[in-house]
């Protein structure tokens, strides 16, 4: 996979107003966090500090393919939608390919104009965190 | 209370269907939060997309503000009630912008979104439609706004500069709150002579504002602010300082309060301006 992904292209082709609508749709489809991870979350583990809103991520590899669990504060639907979108993009991807994923997703999706620099940077931080975790898993495998 | 600028959730619940007299405005940190459910008849004003200029670091101009109000069916006589997430930070921010352009009647719903939800009050995803109205704004009222050079001059003659950031930011231990890494600056510390009064001092755990007596005890007795003298508040981008500006002016009745919206993202990146670090001097 190169730097393009059908979902990202889908966003970029929409009208700006509709991009945020789509992000809102995604926020509603974030899978529920498994119970054993809920406990870790309540202990403050796996928090993404680059983001202003409470976001917790677990990146793992199952058979060399990426799997992500996440919890996002329900009062942060923009972030929740973005994380939900990321999970859909990454789920099942080869872990080695995650590093090729672009950092500046908000800009590629065409939503950084609507969000502003600060909020966009927070979302970019989430992408970076996933890439970093994936790289750590890869190193651990060799 | 010195001023009647707060309404309760109960009051809003009773009056929300009177869209002739009242307009409820929701302003949040998250641009999509309104869409997940809001008070019936409330319109959304996003601090970034609706109140900020897209090119120059500044608020929107008078004509954009007029168009915004017109689109929401707001007239010059409409009583506008603001509420939002994050302890009403952004509600205070929007309130301040409305006052910048001279809107007469502005109120804040005490406790904001959090209190409304905590009380299990109903929300809707229905977006209200209003007929466009005629709205005439004033030119920006700069008696509530401070700029960089105003602050440079102010600190030479007054000690009523209020830094509303966290203690760690004030002392220069960090350049930004841990949760907001994108709002860092090249230098850490505070504007010389500023008093450290974190914004959260003004609210209770549930986001409601403290009573007049409690606020008076903090800001006037303990921190020795004189309500009859000019006071300037700042934070990092001007939203927490809008919150404190509201407290000082509308809850404590301070005569002359200004928001230095450039705040630390400007001062901490400005070549050559004086900076102090460490604890507040006694």
């Amino acid at each position: 996979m190169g730097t393009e992904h059908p979902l990202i292209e889908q966003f970029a082709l929409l009208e700006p107003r509709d991009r945020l609508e789509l992000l809102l749709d995604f926020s509603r489809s974030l899978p529920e966090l498994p119970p054993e991870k809920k406990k870790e979350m309540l202990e403050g583990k796996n928090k993404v500090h680059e983001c202003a809103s409470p976001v917790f991520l677990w990146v793992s590899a199952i058979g060399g393919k990426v799997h992500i669990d996440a919890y996002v504060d329900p009062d942060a639907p923009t972030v929740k939608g973005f994380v939900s979108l990321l999970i859909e993009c990454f789920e099942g991807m080869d872990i080695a390919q995650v590093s090729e994923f672009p950092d500046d997703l908000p800009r590629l999706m065409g939503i950084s104009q609507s969000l502003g620099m600060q909020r966009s940077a927070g979302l970019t931080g989430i992408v970076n965190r996933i890439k970093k975790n994936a790289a750590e898993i890869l190193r651990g495998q060799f | 209370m010195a001023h009647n600028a707060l309404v309760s959730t109960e009051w809003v619940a009773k009056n929300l269907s009177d869209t002739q007299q009242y307009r409820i405005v929701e302003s949040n940190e998250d641009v999509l939060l309104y869409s997940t459910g809001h008070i019936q008849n409330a319109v959304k004003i996003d601090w970034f997309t609706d109140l900020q200029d897209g090119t120059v670091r500044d608020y929107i101009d008078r004509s954009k503000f007029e168009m915004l109000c017109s689109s929401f069916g707001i007239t010059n006589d409409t009583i506008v009630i603001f509420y939002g997430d994050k302890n009403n930070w952004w509600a205070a921010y929007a309130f301040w912008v409305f006052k910048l352009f001279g809107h007469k009647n502005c109120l804040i719903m005490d406790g904001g979104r959090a209190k409304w939800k905590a009380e299990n009050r109903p929300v809707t995803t229905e977006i209200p439609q209003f007929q466009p109205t005629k709205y005439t704004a004033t030119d920006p009222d700069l008696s509530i706004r401070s700029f960089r050079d105003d602050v440079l001059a102010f600190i030479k003659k007054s000690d009523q500069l209020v830094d509303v950031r966290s203690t760690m930011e004030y002392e220069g231990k960090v350049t930004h709150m841990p949760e907001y890494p994108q709002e860092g600056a090249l230098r850490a510390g505070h504007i010389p002579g500023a008093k450290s009064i974190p914004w959260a001092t003004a609210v209770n755990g549930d986001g409601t504002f403290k009573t007049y007596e409690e606020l008076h005890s903090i800001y006037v007795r303990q921190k020795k602010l004189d309500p009859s003298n000019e006071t300037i508040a700042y934070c990092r981008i001007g939203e927490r300082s809008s919150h404190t500006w509201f407290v000082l002016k509308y809850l404590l009745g301070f005569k002359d309060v200004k928001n230095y919206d450039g705040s630390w993202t400007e001062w901490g990146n400005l070549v050559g301006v004086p900076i102090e670090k460490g604890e507040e001097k006694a």
Side-chain angles (χ1 to χ4, degrees):
Chain A
M1 197 210 76
T3 54
E4 296 309 305
H5 189 285
L7 267 178
I8 295 157
E9 280 173 30
Q10 187 184 357
F11 262 89
L13 288 169
L14 292 172
E15 290 292 318
R17 181 192 37 229
D18 298 331
R19 288 173 196 157
L20 289 181
E21 272 303 310
L22 185 52
L23 202 59
L24 187 62
D25 280 342
F26 269 102
S27 76
R28 297 184 183 121
S29 64
L30 180 69
E32 178 111 16
L33 194 64
E36 70 275 8
K37 301 216 159 57
K38 261 197 190 123
K39 186 171 172 292
E40 286 177 36
M41 177 201 83
L42 292 167
E43 290 165 10
K45 299 199 171 115
N46 294 57
K47 192 170 193 292
V48 181
H49 296 285
E50 294 86 337
C51 187
S53 309
V55 180
F56 299 82
L57 285 179
W58 290 258
V59 181
S60 54
I62 300 173
K65 309 278 186 196
V66 172
H67 174 71
I68 301 173
D69 290 304
Y71 175 84
V72 181
D73 186 340
D75 279 346
T78 302
V79 181
K80 198 169 175 196
F82 187 76
V83 170
S84 179
L85 168 94
L86 283 183
I87 289 179
E88 230 180 271
C89 283
F90 282 120
E91 200 67 27
M93 192 187 282
D94 280 342
I95 200 130
Q97 286 179 322
V98 175
S99 60
E100 291 169 32
F101 213 78
D103 283 348
D104 58 344
L105 222 45
R107 188 185 60 82
L108 291 171
M109 284 164 63
I111 59 173
S112 44
Q113 281 287 76
S114 312
L115 297 178
M117 194 190 74
Q118 287 141 239
R119 295 189 284 208
S120 298
L123 299 185
T124 302
I126 297 173
V127 181
N128 283 336
R129 180 30 209 279
I130 293 172
K131 288 171 71 168
K132 179 164 157 274
N133 287 162
E136 283 162 359
I137 293 171
L138 211 52
R139 274 198 299 277
Q141 282 171 355
F142 286 111
Chain B
M1 282 283 174
H3 285 261
N4 222 359
L6 288 179
V7 289
S8 65
T9 45
E10 181 70 33
W11 184 95
V12 173
K14 288 205 176 86
N15 292 285
L16 56 80
S17 36
D18 184 353
T19 58
Q20 282 287 94
Q21 259 203 95
Y22 307 113
R23 188 65 72 247
I24 307 171
V25 170
E26 179 171 316
S27 287
N28 300 316
E29 186 159 289
D30 191 302
V31 68
L32 291 178
L33 191 55
Y34 169 88
S35 306
T36 66
H38 52 265
I39 298 176
Q40 191 184 349
N41 294 331
V43 296
K44 170 180 121 176
I45 291 186
D46 183 68
W47 69 273
F48 183 73
T49 50
D50 295 320
L51 300 180
Q52 284 279 310
D53 184 283
T55 305
V56 174
R57 185 184 173 185
D58 203 349
Y59 297 94
I60 50 173
D61 63 17
R62 177 181 158 167
S63 101
K64 283 214 175 73
F65 181 76
E66 287 172 342
M67 285 192 286
L68 187 69
C69 287
S70 170
S71 72
F72 290 136
I74 295 172
T75 70
N76 286 83
D77 295 317
T78 306
I79 298 170
V80 182
I81 300 120
F82 299 89
Y83 78 100
D85 66 356
K86 298 270 186 290
N87 299 285
N88 276 330
W89 278 4
W90 302 100
Y93 187 97
F95 182 114
W96 182 90
V97 176
F98 269 64
K99 283 301 180 184
L100 187 69
F101 290 107
H103 193 79
K104 266 189 308 206
N105 306 307
C106 297
L107 300 166
I108 288 188
M109 184 179 83
D110 206 6
R113 241 190 103 93
K115 189 158 198 278
W116 186 272
K117 299 292 284 288
E119 290 168 351
N120 287 315
R121 296 186 185 273
V123 291
T124 176
T125 52
E126 193 185 317
I127 299 187
Q129 301 299 325
F130 297 107
Q131 287 284 77
T133 44
K134 174 117 179 52
Y135 189 92
T136 309
T138 61
D139 281 328
D141 174 10
L142 299 182
S143 74
I144 62 171
R145 189 179 185 190
S146 279
F147 296 90
R148 175 202 66 216
D149 293 343
D150 300 326
V151 177
L152 269 165
F154 189 73
I155 58 178
K156 294 194 175 110
K157 61 175 175 127
S158 170
D159 64 352
Q160 304 240 130
L161 182 64
V162 181
D163 185 323
V164 315
R165 300 173 301 158
S166 68
T167 310
M168 295 262 281
E169 291 168 275
Y170 175 90
E171 292 180 5
K173 293 197 169 109
V174 294
T175 61
H176 58 81
M177 292 190 285
E179 312 84 62
Y180 293 84
Q182 306 76 37
E183 292 175 9
L186 291 173
R187 292 293 187 270
H190 54 270
I191 302 179
K195 291 184 198 284
S196 172
I197 317 179
W199 70 274
T201 322
V203 297
N204 299 307
D206 64 353
T208 52
F209 291 99
K210 290 183 176 155
T211 64
Y212 174 84
E213 291 73 26
E214 287 167 327
L215 294 171
H216 191 268
S217 170
I218 296 163
Y219 288 92
V220 179
R221 278 209 296 279
Q222 289 169 44
K223 300 307 283 196
K224 300 194 171 27
L225 286 173
D226 184 342
S228 59
N229 284 345
E230 185 184 355
T231 308
I232 301 178
Y234 77 92
C235 57
R236 263 194 353 275
I237 58 167
E239 92 288 19
R240 289 173 289 168
S241 52
S242 301
H243 190 271
T244 296
W245 169 86
F246 173 80
V247 168
L248 294 174
K249 189 163 169 139
Y250 287 88
L251 302 185
L252 283 173
F254 272 49
K255 206 170 68 122
D256 178 354
V257 194
K258 297 180 168 72
N259 183 15
Y260 168 39
D261 58 280
S263 278
W264 198 256
T265 47
E266 181 177 62
W267 199 273
N269 286 311
L270 210 43
V271 174
V273 294
I275 290 177
E276 260 172 17
K277 291 172 104 102
E279 286 173 19
E280 187 178 347
K281 295 185 171 70

